[in-house]
Amino acid sequence: MQEYKLFINGEWVESSTGETFDDYNPTTLELIGKIQRASQDDVQRAADSAEDAFERWSSTPPPYRGKILFQAARMLEERKEELARLMTIEMGKVLDETRGDVQEAIDMTYYAAGEGRRLLGETTPSELPNKFCLTVRRPIGVVGLITPWNFPLAIPSWKIMPALICGNTAVFKPASDTPILAIELVKILTEAGLPKGVLNLVTGDGSTVGGAIIRNRKIRSISFTGSLETGKLVMGEASRDMKRVSLELGGKNPIIVMDDADLNLAVDGILWGAFGTAGQRCTAASRVIAHEKILPLLQEKLIERTKQLKIGNGLDEGTDIGPVINNSQLQKIAKYVEIGKDEGAKLVQGGSIIKPLPGYFFEPTIFTDAASDMKIAQDEIFGPVVSLISAGNLDEAIQIANSVVYGLSSSIYTDSINDAFRAIEKIEAGITYINSSTIGAEIHLPFGGVKSSGNGAREAGTTAIEEFTELKTVYFDYSGKLQKAQIDLAY
Ligand code: NAP
């Protein structure tokens, strides 16, 4: 059994607690690794090491930092298939999707590497003569990066790569369900030439290790992706120290299907959005809000296609849905199905735990006759459960779409340009797709949600650079005399 270590100050070390925890394959329930249970002292050592490395790394020209990331991207590319298989073993999603996860990490690493030759500021005229104004981007310092398990390489790379190219050093805590992929990513960056101390990895449970990161005075900024519940704790703790905080949280994402939509296309999108990654995506489509005229036909087509989905080991080509991540998640999904039945929604497909293999499998599940205020239509279930809700027209559909605390992703299927633009304008979400599912973010565009899906931060795209830099405004006066802004008017 392989035992994995912490990575602090360029060395693979054991935790000061001497304790480990087990990492299981959710498909077979086989033990796949022993992982270090870090302590607050280990987090402190990681933060000290990141602080020591900061001066040198932040002074390294960004194109050189980019060179290391380009090398890491090439290594990720070479190892794509092996990493995808390892990811399916560690967290269960099917191979096509884990290949996509690795590809997202590759894309982000190349993208961030290229930013080493941009990191753009602005220049602008002064209101005074012989004076010049500009902004430059400075790194923040030591940043704390905390990630969930559903995108074990993609989400860490969305944080690590922009943080590093901007000149920050980092303490990284991956989810306890997917530490091995995180460790592989750190190994790749190290082999690509990342200097010691620049990136430190600590594994262990959320409240101890994550909490210690958030409270550490040397860590100036926290980038967190996870649940709303944890996000609130993170924000509360981090604000005591006036840390910068970027939160990417949950969703209850709607697909609106209008009466002029291509229903087969909509069914493709619903299946992918609701049941891809066994519904365990922040952007999963867990609500379908369908125009009452087409709802019966849509429902019929959806049930028929859902019955054809193959559940099993994600390593087997042809499997559509793998297991969910762990037993507590499995029980939570089962509990929500009971709640849905008690609330009066009609269970028309699935609804049970199944055992095609020893792991944590749940049938793809469809509720109809759901009302927008039911818990199953309000809470993020994070499993393969979708609720169908009827709407009489677009305004009502949008009102239902907006009736939740979340606002991450959304989608509308329609042939009407007018309806599409009204949806873009009125749906409260950080992302709106037209005629495609709620899933499919590309790394060069901003990603994030409104309302309780985040705190206004956006990852990826040029906004990733904003997340990991401070702007400094520079006034360069070459007049040789004291000039007072707003007082010595030059016009
Ligand atoms: P989670 O339980 O909130 O955990 C996320 C991370 O926070 C893990 O590394 C976890 O460590 C750590 N953590 C737990 N308690 C903590 C605490 N008190 N202080 C600091 N860190 C703590 O979320 P999850 O179950 O891993 O992920 C699913 C959630 O993430 C869903 O709500 C999903 O919508 C959301 N998500 C959002 C996005 C987005 O971009 N908006 C993307 C993917 C997922 P342990 O693993 O050790 O508990």
Side-chain angles (χ1 to χ4, degrees), residues 256-263 265-266 394 412-421 434-435:
I256 295 176
V257 186
M258 294 304 293
D259 52 349
D260 57 0
D262 175 337
L263 291 193
L265 186 66
L394 181 62
I412 180 167
Y413 282 82
T414 179
D415 264 0
S416 158
I417 290 176
N418 293 356
D419 282 358
F421 271 94
I434 313 300
N435 290 327

Side-chain angles (χ1 to χ4, degrees), residues 377-490:
Q378 289 285 322
D379 296 1
E380 186 187 46
I381 300 173
F382 226 54
V385 181
V386 65
S387 299
L388 269 54
I389 307 169
S390 173
N393 53 45
L394 181 62
D395 285 344
E396 194 190 344
I398 292 174
Q399 192 209 327
I400 295 168
N402 292 345
S403 69
V404 296
V405 297
Y406 296 106
L408 184 53
S409 187
S410 59
S411 146
I412 180 167
Y413 282 82
T414 179
D415 264 0
S416 158
I417 290 176
N418 293 356
D419 282 358
F421 271 94
R422 279 180 55 217
I424 294 168
E425 198 181 313
K426 297 289 181 197
I427 296 180
E428 295 166 355
I431 306 163
T432 297
Y433 292 88
I434 313 300
N435 290 327
S436 79
S437 193
T438 50
I439 288 171
E442 300 180 28
I443 64 97
H444 56 295
L445 287 146
F447 180 91
V450 303
K451 298 178 11 188
S452 295
S453 286
N455 63 339
R458 292 288 180 274
E459 294 200 304
T462 49
T463 41
I465 302 303
E466 285 163 23
E467 183 184 351
F468 289 106
T469 51
E470 298 279 14
L471 268 185
K472 174 172 282 189
T473 304
V474 181
Y475 297 100
F476 203 114
D477 191 324
Y478 54 98
S479 68
K481 60 180 183 189
L482 174 65
Q483 300 199 88
K484 295 180 245 126
Q486 295 90 38
I487 294 170
D488 296 338
L489 298 179

Side-chain angles (χ1 to χ4, degrees), residues 161-176:
M161 306 309 170
L164 297 185
I165 199 67
C166 293
N168 303 285
T169 56
V171 177
F172 166 38
K173 184 238 173 295
S176 297

Side-chain angles (χ1 to χ4, degrees), residues 21 146-151 155 158 173-178 204-212 214 224-231 233-234 247-251 280-283 325 329 380 382 406 408 447-449 453 459:
F21 63 95
I146 303 177
T147 57
W149 46 265
N150 62 342
F151 283 86
I155 291 179
W158 279 35
K173 184 238 173 295
S176 297
D177 282 305
T178 51
D205 64 273
S207 52
T208 310
V209 178
I214 293 155
F224 171 85
T225 299
S227 61
L228 171 58
E229 205 184 9
T230 316
L233 290 174
V234 170
L247 301 173
E248 298 292 345
L249 309 175
Q280 305 168 109
R281 290 185 182 225
C282 53
T283 52
I325 189 70
Q329 191 56 30
E380 186 187 46
F382 226 54
Y406 296 106
L408 184 53
F447 180 91
S453 286
E459 294 200 304

Side-chain angles (χ1 to χ4, degrees), residues 281-295:
R281 290 185 182 225
C282 53
T283 52
S286 46
R287 295 180 296 154
V288 172
I289 305 164
H291 194 288
E292 61 194 12
K293 277 195 207 154
I294 50 86
L295 179 59

